[in-house]
Amino acid sequence: MRRRELLHRGLALALALTSTAAAAQSAFPSFELERLELNPGGEGSLLVGMGELLQEGDLRFSAVAHYAHNPLLLDLDGQSLRIVGSRATAHLAVGYAPLSWLQVGLQIPVLYQSTGTEVETEGYLRPTSFGLGTPTASVRAGLLTQDDKGGVDLALELAVGMPLGSATALARDPDQWRLSPKVMVGRRFGFLRAGVEVGFLQRPERALTPRVDPEDVIGNELRLGAALATTGRRLRWEVNVRGMLPLTSQPGAAEVLPGMRYLVNPSLEVFALVGVGVGSAPGTPLFRAMVGGAFGNVTPHRGPGESSVNCEPGLPHTMEECPDMDEDHDGVRNSVDRCPTEPGDIARSGCSAKDTDSDGVEDTLDGCPFEPGLVANQGCAVQDADKDETPDDSDSCPSEAGPADNRGCPVRDADKDGIDNDKDACPNEFGPPERDGCPERDTDKDTVPNRIDSCANEPGTVKNFGCPQQIQPLVELKRDRLLLTGKVYFDPGQIRLQARSHEVLDWVAKVIKEHPEMPLFLIAAHTDDRGFPDANRRLSQGRAESVRQYLVNKGVPPERLEAQGYGQSQPAESNATSIGRENNRRVEFLIVDPQGDKAGAPR
């Protein structure tokens, strides 16, 4: 017998003679003829992965009836032999996503009809008509997911073919596991999705004809796929292109498979695909057709830029999901319809001109459409539970009567100082408003309040800042600072204190220790503008630290003192004159308000 050429879709697949006696009939070599693969999740395309996964917890079960015409032809001495002229299979597939980034799948093909020509004189036997195909389990991991900001869907998959198919039905490779890794990527473009996948099929090399011709050797191959699919509709269309590039010398092949799919209800989808094949790779038919259905969570997920399939008539949806629909068919879209479930007028934003509570205010303008109210109050009644003429929505004490100028609350003043308890810092002690209702404190009983008494432990006079007449105080207490009648001196350009500064600093230490109600003082040091700003800031910081250390040595608790150097950044006067520069070289003692971390009046 002389083999002239293997026709398109043939390569004389599986028509090898065994090494037994020439007169005996030959069995086919074991190999997998079927090339049809389903996408278990079916989210983007039925056949090609687009990098997408099912939603977490979703389960999809698919059943497909498939017919392939002339998947295996042989030309012997000018005669075309249909070794496999027709082949009908059922494909069962299931996909499940246990995690948001993980999907598992299983496909089981079953051959239930096959026709072909048997050439007994040449020893070619027709394959059997019934048998199990190669079951394939897969694991798919999502690496990237497109979102509203852009990006792509990217996933990796590893499929494993189990050596359980029927060898006599051309439905199994030799007895070993078959590996098929894939990488798939896709992107959504509004009403379209596009994706590609690249896979590698690992299978053993073997010759399929008696004479070992390089074109008759099957083995490892690259499998490619591309798909374009519509989105956002109950009836969707897709076009799939699938091909193979053999890593042996056998010819390649490709198929184009357009199809349609229709969502019957959220749990059932039906679909059909037809296609033609080009090339002479094993299992590539002249044409193939398939119809099937999917069950489970089959409503396609709404992706970025896509409209929801649920917005098609007859499918359950929310008005927020479908803002462009018109639920009540009144000509006003859901997104702007104020009464989306009741027909109304366009002029009334989709509502009808009715007044449910008969208060003279249309429901569309009525803030309380089911309760009679006042027109001036947008159809709502004025609520005033305590009858104090202050509406409840602005009454801080809605269950207790009180004047409007007190936010509807009763006036409470336990110490009779004219300040409400809720505003009185000392609600049980009489005190002036400037002290937030707290009494003045006068430790030495000289009628000079502690807050302005420079000698808080010695009786004195107001004119002498609370000190005895024979003492000349060097520190005057102000609301926010200690005002020095002297000056703090340092060695020129240095941080070391001069001895003539000790007297005034001793007074500062005395006043601070006698006023424990003032918890924190800020020692602020400043310079003039001569020199570099950074150097001046460092110099002033050092001087502030020197003053702080002196006061600590005089018994002032260190936690009550904070040092800060400001350099030349906060001049008190102009640096254009020598007097101005002299006044800018200064040290200030600021009283820090513990409530707001800023200067404030002591108590």
mmCIF file of all heavy atoms in Angstrom, residues 318-335:
data_model
loop_
_atom_site.group_PDB
_atom_site.id
_atom_site.type_symbol
_atom_site.label_atom_id
_atom_site.label_comp_id
_atom_site.label_asym_id
_atom_site.label_seq_id
_atom_site.Cartn_x
_atom_site.Cartn_y
_atom_site.Cartn_z
ATOM 1 N N THR A 318 -32.612 45.500 40.311
ATOM 2 C CA THR A 318 -32.938 46.644 41.152
ATOM 3 C C THR A 318 -32.938 47.900 40.283
ATOM 4 O O THR A 318 -32.317 47.933 39.209
ATOM 5 C CB THR A 318 -31.904 46.818 42.274
ATOM 6 O OG1 THR A 318 -30.620 47.092 41.698
ATOM 7 C CG2 THR A 318 -31.813 45.545 43.119
ATOM 8 N N MET A 319 -33.636 48.934 40.757
ATOM 9 C CA MET A 319 -33.671 50.183 39.988
ATOM 10 C C MET A 319 -32.300 50.849 39.953
ATOM 11 O O MET A 319 -31.940 51.503 38.983
ATOM 12 C CB MET A 319 -34.731 51.108 40.579
ATOM 13 C CG MET A 319 -36.147 50.661 40.244
ATOM 14 S SD MET A 319 -37.415 51.690 40.985
ATOM 15 C CE MET A 319 -37.330 51.152 42.691
ATOM 16 N N GLU A 320 -31.506 50.676 41.035
ATOM 17 C CA GLU A 320 -30.155 51.229 41.034
ATOM 18 C C GLU A 320 -29.281 50.537 39.995
ATOM 19 O O GLU A 320 -28.394 51.147 39.401
ATOM 20 C CB GLU A 320 -29.525 51.085 42.418
ATOM 21 C CG GLU A 320 -30.176 51.930 43.501
ATOM 22 C CD GLU A 320 -31.485 51.352 43.985
ATOM 23 O OE1 GLU A 320 -31.795 50.191 43.619
ATOM 24 O OE2 GLU A 320 -32.217 52.059 44.712
ATOM 25 N N GLU A 321 -29.536 49.245 39.772
ATOM 26 C CA GLU A 321 -28.755 48.472 38.806
ATOM 27 C C GLU A 321 -29.068 48.895 37.377
ATOM 28 O O GLU A 321 -28.210 48.804 36.494
ATOM 29 C CB GLU A 321 -29.053 46.986 39.002
ATOM 30 C CG GLU A 321 -28.214 46.033 38.182
ATOM 31 C CD GLU A 321 -28.555 44.583 38.462
ATOM 32 O OE1 GLU A 321 -29.598 44.317 39.090
ATOM 33 O OE2 GLU A 321 -27.775 43.707 38.044
ATOM 34 N N CYS A 322 -30.285 49.360 37.141
ATOM 35 C CA CYS A 322 -30.732 49.695 35.787
ATOM 36 C C CYS A 322 -31.282 51.127 35.765
ATOM 37 O O CYS A 322 -32.501 51.339 35.653
ATOM 38 C CB CYS A 322 -31.785 48.706 35.307
ATOM 39 S SG CYS A 322 -31.262 46.977 35.380
ATOM 40 N N PRO A 323 -30.410 52.129 35.882
ATOM 41 C CA PRO A 323 -30.893 53.517 35.965
ATOM 42 C C PRO A 323 -31.521 54.012 34.675
ATOM 43 O O PRO A 323 -32.300 54.967 34.694
ATOM 44 C CB PRO A 323 -29.628 54.302 36.312
ATOM 45 C CG PRO A 323 -28.506 53.462 35.789
ATOM 46 C CD PRO A 323 -28.941 52.043 35.971
ATOM 47 N N ASP A 324 -31.215 53.385 33.548
ATOM 48 C CA ASP A 324 -31.741 53.864 32.269
ATOM 49 C C ASP A 324 -33.063 53.216 31.884
ATOM 50 O O ASP A 324 -33.640 53.534 30.848
ATOM 51 C CB ASP A 324 -30.712 53.634 31.155
ATOM 52 C CG ASP A 324 -29.458 54.477 31.345
ATOM 53 O OD1 ASP A 324 -29.598 55.590 31.892
ATOM 54 O OD2 ASP A 324 -28.371 54.025 30.978
ATOM 55 N N MET A 325 -33.538 52.272 32.704
ATOM 56 C CA MET A 325 -34.835 51.658 32.418
ATOM 57 C C MET A 325 -35.963 52.549 32.934
ATOM 58 O O MET A 325 -35.742 53.508 33.681
ATOM 59 C CB MET A 325 -34.913 50.269 33.049
ATOM 60 C CG MET A 325 -34.019 49.229 32.409
ATOM 61 S SD MET A 325 -34.320 47.578 33.077
ATOM 62 C CE MET A 325 -35.965 47.224 32.438
ATOM 63 N N ASP A 326 -37.184 52.212 32.553
ATOM 64 C CA ASP A 326 -38.377 52.944 32.980
ATOM 65 C C ASP A 326 -39.363 51.922 33.530
ATOM 66 O O ASP A 326 -40.181 51.358 32.795
ATOM 67 C CB ASP A 326 -38.965 53.720 31.801
ATOM 68 C CG ASP A 326 -40.201 54.521 32.185
ATOM 69 O OD1 ASP A 326 -40.479 54.622 33.396
ATOM 70 O OD2 ASP A 326 -40.888 55.026 31.280
ATOM 71 N N GLU A 327 -39.246 51.637 34.843
ATOM 72 C CA GLU A 327 -40.016 50.568 35.452
ATOM 73 C C GLU A 327 -41.528 50.772 35.298
ATOM 74 O O GLU A 327 -42.274 49.823 35.054
ATOM 75 C CB GLU A 327 -39.668 50.452 36.939
ATOM 76 C CG GLU A 327 -38.202 50.167 37.217
ATOM 77 C CD GLU A 327 -37.781 48.786 36.798
ATOM 78 O OE1 GLU A 327 -38.627 47.879 36.761
ATOM 79 O OE2 GLU A 327 -36.590 48.600 36.467
ATOM 80 N N ASP A 328 -41.993 52.016 35.496
ATOM 81 C CA ASP A 328 -43.439 52.249 35.469
ATOM 82 C C ASP A 328 -43.940 52.747 34.109
ATOM 83 O O ASP A 328 -45.099 53.112 33.962
ATOM 84 C CB ASP A 328 -43.835 53.236 36.566
ATOM 85 C CG ASP A 328 -43.001 54.513 36.527
ATOM 86 O OD1 ASP A 328 -42.309 54.746 35.511
ATOM 87 O OD2 ASP A 328 -43.049 55.273 37.511
ATOM 88 N N HIS A 329 -43.043 52.768 33.113
ATOM 89 C CA HIS A 329 -43.417 53.094 31.731
ATOM 90 C C HIS A 329 -44.130 54.452 31.627
ATOM 91 O O HIS A 329 -45.118 54.605 30.914
ATOM 92 C CB HIS A 329 -44.315 51.997 31.141
ATOM 93 C CG HIS A 329 -43.726 50.626 31.229
ATOM 94 N ND1 HIS A 329 -42.649 50.229 30.464
ATOM 95 C CD2 HIS A 329 -44.061 49.550 32.017
ATOM 96 C CE1 HIS A 329 -42.343 48.981 30.764
ATOM 97 N NE2 HIS A 329 -43.176 48.543 31.705
ATOM 98 N N ASP A 330 -43.609 55.431 32.375
ATOM 99 C CA ASP A 330 -44.211 56.762 32.304
ATOM 100 C C ASP A 330 -43.334 57.757 31.545
ATOM 101 O O ASP A 330 -43.595 58.956 31.550
ATOM 102 C CB ASP A 330 -44.501 57.294 33.706
ATOM 103 C CG ASP A 330 -43.239 57.388 34.575
ATOM 104 O OD1 ASP A 330 -42.142 57.071 34.073
ATOM 105 O OD2 ASP A 330 -43.364 57.769 35.754
ATOM 106 N N GLY A 331 -42.293 57.243 30.883
ATOM 107 C CA GLY A 331 -41.426 58.106 30.092
ATOM 108 C C GLY A 331 -40.318 58.765 30.886
ATOM 109 O O GLY A 331 -39.568 59.580 30.339
ATOM 110 N N VAL A 332 -40.177 58.420 32.166
ATOM 111 C CA VAL A 332 -39.134 59.001 33.013
ATOM 112 C C VAL A 332 -38.214 57.874 33.472
ATOM 113 O O VAL A 332 -38.665 56.883 34.056
ATOM 114 C CB VAL A 332 -39.745 59.718 34.236
ATOM 115 C CG1 VAL A 332 -38.633 60.360 35.073
ATOM 116 C CG2 VAL A 332 -40.749 60.766 33.791
ATOM 117 N N ARG A 333 -36.924 58.008 33.181
ATOM 118 C CA ARG A 333 -35.965 56.961 33.533
ATOM 119 C C ARG A 333 -35.864 56.793 35.051
ATOM 120 O O ARG A 333 -36.073 57.731 35.822
ATOM 121 C CB ARG A 333 -34.584 57.295 32.960
ATOM 122 C CG ARG A 333 -34.522 57.226 31.444
ATOM 123 C CD ARG A 333 -33.134 57.501 30.916
ATOM 124 N NE ARG A 333 -32.697 58.870 31.199
ATOM 125 C CZ ARG A 333 -31.689 59.189 31.995
ATOM 126 N NH1 ARG A 333 -31.007 58.234 32.621
ATOM 127 N NH2 ARG A 333 -31.349 60.442 32.186
ATOM 128 N N ASN A 334 -35.507 55.577 35.471
ATOM 129 C CA ASN A 334 -35.419 55.271 36.901
ATOM 130 C C ASN A 334 -34.528 56.248 37.654
ATOM 131 O O ASN A 334 -34.807 56.598 38.806
ATOM 132 C CB ASN A 334 -34.877 53.852 37.113
ATOM 133 C CG ASN A 334 -35.870 52.785 36.678
ATOM 134 O OD1 ASN A 334 -37.039 53.070 36.460
ATOM 135 N ND2 ASN A 334 -35.390 51.560 36.536
ATOM 136 N N SER A 335 -33.426 56.663 37.027
ATOM 137 C CA SER A 335 -32.451 57.483 37.731
ATOM 138 C C SER A 335 -32.997 58.846 38.117
ATOM 139 O O SER A 335 -32.483 59.479 39.046
ATOM 140 C CB SER A 335 -31.192 57.653 36.866
ATOM 141 O OG SER A 335 -31.517 58.265 35.633
#
